[in-house]
Amino acid sequence: NTATNPLPLGTYTATTVNSPDQSNYNYRGLHVIINVGVVTSGTYTPHIQAKDPVSGLYYDLLVGSAISTAGMTVLKVYPGIATLANGAASDILPQTWRVQLIGASTPSMILSVASYLEL
């Protein structure tokens, strides 16, 4: 496994937060760990997205449930995994991916996003 840190610990208030593009060369899937320490207001809905290499546009691999309270949320993408609504998707992890948080109701949270790439 390889650990990455798509979004470092910080206060996030933007309506849309995108991690930088993440590179995957040898892994089939991943776990994304969203750790929310403080919620001041609003919600964030997490998206794990892949990037189309031709157009450069992103598409969703998995959309999680809206996060409105402090705590940990784990999302999983892996081929053959049991699909769980808002939590796990049976899919491969493409070469370029990112985490996107879509905010609602004036989001303000202290959080971090980490991940493990899985063979």
Side-chain angles (χ1 to χ4, degrees):
N1 298 352
T2 298
T4 66
N5 188 15
L7 290 171
L9 179 63
T11 301
Y12 293 89
T13 59
T15 303
T16 302
V17 177
N18 293 316
S19 76
D21 283 355
Q22 305 293 300
S23 295
N24 171 40
Y25 296 106
N26 299 310
Y27 297 94
R28 297 175 63 200
L30 83 157
H31 286 192
V32 170
I33 303 106
I34 304 163
N35 192 359
V36 177
V38 176
V39 176
T40 303
S41 62
T43 65
Y44 272 122
T45 300
H47 296 242
I48 299 174
Q49 297 185 315
K51 187 176 189 178
D52 174 12
V54 175
S55 69
L57 298 175
Y58 295 90
Y59 59 93
D60 290 330
L61 297 172
L62 175 62
V63 177
S65 297
I67 298 169
S68 60
T69 59
M72 187 178 294
T73 299
V74 178
L75 303 175
K76 301 174 184 179
V77 174
Y78 198 83
I81 194 172
T83 299
L84 300 172
N86 304 318
S90 177
D91 206 338
I92 61 164
L93 183 64
Q95 183 175 352
T96 305
W97 62 277
R98 74 178 181 186
V99 175
Q100 180 181 66
L101 303 175
I102 302 293
S105 303
T106 315
S108 179
M109 297 186 193
I110 298 174
L111 61 85
S112 64
V113 178
S115 67
Y116 285 111
L117 296 166
E118 306 287 339
L119 290 175

